[in-house]
Amino acid sequence: MYLPPHFSTSETGELHQLIVQYPLGSIITLGSEGLDANHLPFELDFGRGGLGVLQAHVARNNPLWREVQSEQEVLVIFRAGDAYISPQWYPSKQEHQKQVPTWNYRVVHAHGKIRVLDDVKTVRGIVAKLTRTHESFQEKPWKMTDSPRDYMEEMLQRIVGIEVEITKLIGKLKLSQDDEPRDVRSAGRVLIERGEKEIGSAMIRCAQLGQSS
């Protein structure tokens, strides 16, 4: 990934938080048929390894788990919002016309080593953790025990767990850091008004940091 220094972040806590907020990752693998990409919700285990461990599951019919070798290097990409930026939103454009459109975004690249976890107890644990995380907003969260035992056992047999021990985290936060803080702040406000709050709010925070530095 092309990574100019002013768009780069290596702050582990910040990158972990983006993964938690945007857990649908694109896992890139290399198998006998070449490159492949699968899109999976991941659970981040902060307490394992130096940078954490990502866990997910795939359908047993998905060739991913048969194509990879244990400890093979993979890449998981998490997209944390994106938005088109019009030069019309920059005050400086009205003064000198020296602005062009751009596209802002936040992404996290998690490099790591993959392992296949094909035993029911482990898979059950992965599903349980994912369920607790994503049902937490419900007044009455769904639990695996809500379903008949034989039905749940059958469902668990249809999936295979995977985990990726993270070895390197790379973050790119492209938020117009190379523009004047007033321009960044103005464009961020327009995005928020348009309902694109993720990038808009991030740009305003970025402008505030630019002013204080």
Side-chain angles (χ1 to χ4, degrees):
M1 176 170 62
Y2 174 56
L3 193 60
H6 49 281
F7 295 150
S8 174
T9 179
S10 58
E11 210 288 304
T12 301
E14 182 178 16
L15 298 177
H16 278 173
Q17 188 59 38
L18 289 176
I19 291 173
V20 170
Q21 290 177 324
Y22 300 87
L24 184 68
S26 300
I27 181 167
I28 314 301
T29 56
L30 179 61
S32 61
E33 300 297 318
L35 288 172
D36 191 19
N38 284 267
H39 312 282
L40 310 171
F42 284 89
E43 180 80 5
L44 175 60
D45 187 339
F46 300 90
R48 296 174 56 201
L51 294 172
V53 172
L54 298 167
Q55 290 188 322
H57 59 82
V58 298
R60 187 167 292 276
N61 288 336
N62 188 326
L64 179 150
W65 68 279
R66 293 189 179 91
E67 288 285 314
V68 297
Q69 302 295 320
S70 182
E71 305 296 316
Q72 180 178 328
E73 185 175 0
V74 299
L75 170 64
V76 187
I77 300 172
F78 297 91
R79 293 179 61 250
D82 66 279
Y84 172 78
I85 308 298
S86 170
Q88 302 284 34
W89 303 341
Y90 288 164
S92 66
K93 183 264 182 188
Q94 315 307 325
E95 299 171 4
H96 51 60
Q97 306 300 319
K98 295 179 180 179
Q99 290 290 357
V100 294
T102 192
W103 204 287
N104 282 351
Y105 55 88
R106 299 181 297 177
V107 292
V108 180
H109 286 197
H111 297 254
K113 298 177 180 179
I114 192 170
R115 304 183 189 98
V116 174
L117 308 171
D118 190 17
D119 66 273
V120 173
K121 182 178 179 181
T122 302
V123 172
R124 183 189 299 275
I126 292 173
V127 174
K129 285 188 287 186
L130 281 165
T131 300
R132 284 195 298 270
T133 296
H134 300 293
E135 283 284 324
S136 61
F137 72 95
Q138 299 274 18
E139 183 177 342
K140 185 179 179 181
W142 181 87
K143 305 183 299 296
M144 295 174 69
T145 52
D146 289 349
S147 296
R149 184 182 180 87
D150 57 345
Y151 170 80
M152 185 54 60
E153 292 299 324
E154 181 184 350
M155 292 297 100
L156 290 173
Q157 291 291 341
R158 295 183 182 183
I159 60 178
V160 177
I162 63 168
E163 70 176 19
V164 177
E165 181 180 354
I166 301 173
T167 56
K168 180 168 62 173
L169 273 175
I170 301 173
K172 184 173 184 178
L173 312 181
K174 184 177 179 297
L175 301 169
S176 297
Q177 293 95 322
D178 47 349
D179 286 302
E180 295 181 48
R182 61 171 178 153
D183 287 339
V184 180
R185 186 168 54 250
S186 175
R189 288 172 178 162
V190 173
L191 288 178
I192 291 173
E193 291 172 0
R194 291 164 54 90
E196 299 180 90
K197 296 180 180 179
E198 295 92 344
I199 295 299
S201 298
M203 289 179 66
I204 290 176
R205 290 193 299 272
C206 182
Q208 292 169 341
L209 289 173
Q211 284 186 319
S212 62
S213 60

